[in-house]
Amino acid sequence: MGPKANAFSVRQTRISALMSMRSFNYLIGFCLLAYLSACSAPEEPAGSMETGKPVFVDVTMEAGLGDFKHETGGYGQSLMPEIVGGGGGFIDYNGDGWEDILLVAGGKWSHNELNDVQCLYLYHNNGDGTFTDVTEVVGLDLVRTYGFGVTVADYDNDGNDDFYLTTIYKNLLFKNDRGFFVDVSNEAGLNNESAWSTSALFFDADNDSWPDLYVGSYVDWTPASDLTCMYRGKKVFCTPQEYTGRSSYFYKNNGDGTFTEWTREAGFLAGVDTTLDKTLGVAVFDFNNDGWMDITTGNDTENDMLYVNQGDGTFKESGLQSGIAVSKNGYARAGMGLDTGVVDSTGNVSIFVGNFSDETVSVFRYMGNNQFFDRASASKVGFPSTTTLTFGLVLVDVDSDTDLDLLTANGHVLTHINEVSEAVTFKQPSQLYINRGNGVFDTYETDEGPLAKPLVARGLTYADYDKDGDVDLLYVENGGPAHLWRNDTDGGGYLRVQARGSESNKDALGTRIEAVANGLTMKRWVQTGASFLTSAEKTVTFGLGTNEVVDTLRVVWPTGKVDQFTDVAVNQEIRIVEGQGSYEPVTMD
């Protein structure tokens, strides 16, 4: 999250300390990356199609979200959690097909003041571009805690979107009872740990049709144990290196509305120093295409991790061996939000990780045999990201030209950083990197619109909230407002796919969807999101450029069964139910 604030010599301190502790492991990782660099294949020809320049419009006020403000709880003591939040996401709480917005407003420290801060806000999508605050109507107005992020899924397969809230205290599970939310944390077995939790994700680890839950933990911190770091006589936020990390948690879904804490049994504690987690970002993906979802985490000043699913819902940590754990120079970075996706025509997944302001965004592409290759420089993302501190990060097809572009949510953790480095500011604009179609990105430069506005951004996620076929963005600022950016880009055609499981979990989490158009294969997975403290829509969006038809649409379900369709018309949203062998257009009243 940040440097050692009193001296700002974090880079030298970090390198020497980490190399002394784990120099041998880092040497192995460095040599592996060098080897992969030497044998990497040349870039593929571009597969994207020319579209209009990206255009986003900030519609926060007109949409009805202008009253929201994230509360850090700060009262002049610079307590560490103040600078980390906030999060939120998209949820269809009433099942009407329109994505609603759920925001986490943070909290305050004194338990005597908790009643002053409403932690959650739910905004109903009216279907006309506006939202209405329904927090009280759905039973969430009295939630009082210090919240960070949410993950949304139908954990009990009853057809309703539920959600899980991460906090500085005990996390909370809210069951959706026909549009009204009930805290079922205790009866579900999810309220037995008190720890600083950050990003969490629902996914089906063992393909038993019941979504399991992974919860990232950060550092061992309480208000009483907050450390003091000084800069010019003023207390500032300390680096996470000064704190002991906390192990993350995994909960197995029992299929009866309850969960069992299964962290050790699933392999998340086996052979790993669990005090080194310090997890801020979590993503699930099937990088080796074996039908079992794997996990990667962004860890702050510690090794980023890759948990490989062993084909039975248990995992083996392979971050260092795979080449994603550390930088080319052999040190751990300030890993924060992250996302995964296929960004070129190789069909292989890449991992993108947001890092600190003197570090680049990490980019790793899968090369086969459980090995990843560092492509931060080759992707052209590395150098432009050196002055930004990136928390949220998403891969979306902004211009609907067939390939995934990269967006980052930036903002520093030190208000006085510009006094230390003239090139770095506290508030920072978001960055958009346009994919050429071959995994090489051009930085989109603009002095106009929301992309040019400096923010202290944290959470970043996406959904097509207005049902016009392109992906819109939701940002949450630390100690500030939320921002809804409508995508008005003059892009190409699109196909949006809703997958519904029958034998698989109802949300179809883990389903791989492939769209083939004019010889180009686009690959996506159904998931609850990634990034940082956020949850995205579960409908999959394919930008199709000038293509007028999807030649083949292939749906590979977690059960291994495949549904395949040909000659699917573009510019529509369709719903596919597992095993029915057909699809139907989604129409909105």
Side-chain angles (χ1 to χ4, degrees):
M1 180 183 70
K4 189 173 183 179
N6 53 352
F8 289 94
S9 58
V10 64
R11 190 55 59 240
Q12 291 78 12
T13 302
R14 185 181 295 169
I15 292 174
S16 61
L18 290 173
M19 289 300 288
S20 63
M21 289 189 298
R22 292 170 282 176
S23 57
F24 180 70
N25 285 342
Y26 286 165
L27 180 61
I28 294 174
F30 177 76
C31 293
L32 176 60
L33 288 170
Y35 170 76
L36 288 173
S37 297
C39 63
S40 61
E43 291 302 319
E44 312 81 14
S48 61
M49 301 180 180
E50 192 70 24
T51 54
K53 76 172 185 177
V55 177
F56 288 99
V57 179
D58 189 337
V59 296
T60 307
M61 299 303 292
E62 64 190 75
L65 304 177
D67 291 338
F68 173 83
K69 184 179 183 297
H70 175 261
E71 172 63 64
T72 68
Y75 58 98
Q77 294 302 305
S78 296
L79 299 182
M80 192 178 180
E82 294 171 16
I83 204 66
V84 177
F90 290 96
I91 179 173
D92 184 6
Y93 81 96
N94 58 355
D96 65 354
W98 295 92
E99 292 290 335
D100 311 297
I101 292 177
L102 179 64
L103 297 174
V104 183
K108 286 188 177 180
W109 300 118
S110 170
H111 286 281
N112 295 327
E113 295 178 336
L114 282 177
N115 288 334
D116 296 336
V117 178
Q118 179 178 312
C119 182
L120 293 169
Y121 287 79
L122 180 63
Y123 296 89
H124 168 69
N125 191 332
N126 299 319
D128 59 0
T130 67
F131 293 79
T132 300
D133 186 342
V134 294
T135 314
E136 182 177 357
V137 176
V138 301
L140 296 175
D141 57 311
L142 298 181
V143 177
R144 298 293 187 267
T145 185
Y146 196 106
F148 283 95
V150 294
T151 181
V152 176
D154 180 9
Y155 79 90
D156 52 1
N157 287 331
D158 67 352
N160 299 313
D161 270 356
D162 314 293
F163 74 92
Y164 184 78
L165 171 69
T166 62
T167 80
I168 197 73
Y169 306 114
K170 291 186 176 182
N171 301 326
L172 302 174
L173 176 68
F174 291 92
K175 174 180 170 58
N176 187 340
D177 184 7
R178 293 172 294 180
F180 188 86
F181 288 95
V182 180
D183 180 356
V184 296
S185 311
N186 288 328
E187 49 264 52
L190 289 175
N191 204 7
N192 57 347
E193 298 289 343
S194 183
W196 182 354
S197 300
T198 52
S199 297
L201 283 178
F202 284 107
F203 76 113
D204 190 354
D206 51 5
N207 287 346
D208 67 349
S209 82
W210 297 99
D212 308 298
L213 178 64
Y214 186 89
V215 183
S217 296
Y218 193 33
V219 298
D220 191 3
W221 182 95
T222 65
S225 66
D226 189 77
L227 300 177
T228 298
C229 289
M230 305 297 292
Y231 176 74
R232 294 184 178 178
K234 179 182 178 181
K235 185 178 186 296
V236 292
F237 301 103
C238 292
T239 171
Q241 286 178 298
E242 305 295 330
Y243 292 90
T244 302
R246 287 289 303 258
S247 63
S248 298
Y249 293 94
F250 174 76
Y251 299 92
K252 178 177 171 57
N253 192 328
N254 299 320
D256 59 359
T258 69
F259 291 79
T260 299
E261 197 263 298
W262 207 250
T263 311
R264 184 175 298 278
E265 292 82 352
F268 291 108
L269 299 182
V272 177
D273 185 345
T274 57
T275 66
L276 299 181
D277 274 20
K278 298 182 183 177
T279 296
L280 288 176
V282 179
V284 296
F285 65 146
D286 181 12
F287 73 90
N288 53 11
N289 292 316
D290 65 354
W292 298 85
M293 299 304 288
D294 313 294
I295 295 179
T296 184
T297 65
N299 297 334
D300 195 356
T301 69
E302 302 295 346
N303 287 10
D304 292 338
M305 295 183 181
L306 176 67
Y307 291 102
V308 182
N309 198 320
Q310 301 300 291
D312 57 2
T314 66
F315 296 80
K316 179 180 180 181
E317 204 286 307
S318 303
L320 190 63
Q321 297 90 328
S322 70
I324 74 159
V326 297
S327 73
K328 287 182 177 179
N329 295 324
Y331 65 83
R333 289 173 278 202
M336 288 174 271
L338 73 172
D339 203 357
T340 65
V342 178
V343 297
D344 52 42
S345 58
T346 66
N348 292 328
V349 172
S350 292
I351 303 172
F352 292 73
V353 188
N355 291 307
F356 202 69
S357 55
D358 59 346
E359 303 164 339
T360 71
V361 166
S362 302
V363 183
F364 300 102
R365 184 172 68 192
Y366 184 56
M367 302 294 288
N369 197 30
N370 283 2
Q371 302 298 318
F372 286 78
F373 170 54
D374 189 327
R375 296 194 71 254
S377 296
S379 68
K380 307 297 184 184
V381 169
F383 179 74
S385 64
T386 54
T387 59
T388 59
L389 194 159
T390 298
F391 276 90
L393 178 154
V394 296
L395 291 167
V396 293
D397 188 354
V398 166
D399 47 8
S400 299
D401 67 346
T402 74
D403 54 50
L404 293 174
D405 308 300
L406 173 68
L407 278 141
T408 64
N410 306 321
H412 217 278
V413 296
L414 298 170
T415 57
H416 56 280
I417 186 62
N418 192 237
E419 299 176 23
V420 180
S421 175
E422 292 183 1
V424 183
T425 58
F426 179 57
K427 289 189 173 185
Q428 301 173 357
S430 180
Q431 286 177 299
L432 169 60
Y433 301 91
I434 299 295
N435 195 342
R436 298 178 188 174
N438 57 357
V440 177
F441 295 78
D442 295 314
T443 305
Y444 181 67
E445 304 284 355
T446 181
D447 296 325
E448 302 175 343
L451 281 169
K453 183 179 181 180
L455 306 173
V456 189
R458 296 296 182 257
L460 168 60
T461 189
Y462 58 88
D464 180 15
Y465 81 90
D466 53 0
K467 293 291 185 180
D468 65 352
D470 53 29
V471 175
D472 310 295
L473 303 174
L474 177 68
Y475 287 78
V476 182
E477 272 200 87
N478 179 260
H483 302 270
L484 182 63
W485 295 0
R486 188 182 66 217
N487 189 346
D488 283 357
T489 303
D490 184 14
Y494 67 89
L495 178 67
R496 286 173 47 81
V497 182
Q498 293 182 16
R500 295 289 182 267
S502 53
E503 294 183 41
S504 303
N505 64 88
K506 187 67 65 93
D507 280 337
L509 301 178
T511 298
R512 184 172 82 245
I513 304 178
E514 300 174 359
V516 182
N518 196 28
L520 176 67
T521 300
M522 293 159 279
K523 188 184 298 184
R524 309 280 192 270
W525 281 265
V526 179
Q527 57 180 349
T528 60
S531 190
F532 176 68
L533 305 180
T534 54
S535 195
E537 69 171 346
K538 294 179 283 292
T539 299
V540 169
T541 301
F542 293 98
L544 292 167
T546 58
N547 291 296
E548 298 181 354
V549 67
V550 172
D551 301 316
T552 303
L553 183 67
R554 185 179 303 112
V555 183
V556 183
W557 305 92
T559 58
K561 294 182 178 180
V562 179
D563 284 320
Q564 184 164 301
F565 311 95
T566 58
D567 299 327
V568 181
V570 302
N571 297 332
Q572 64 170 331
E573 183 170 326
I574 62 175
R575 180 181 295 112
I576 301 173
V577 178
E578 181 179 11
Q580 287 191 356
S582 61
Y583 63 84
E584 60 180 8
V586 175
T587 58
M588 307 302 297
D589 296 330

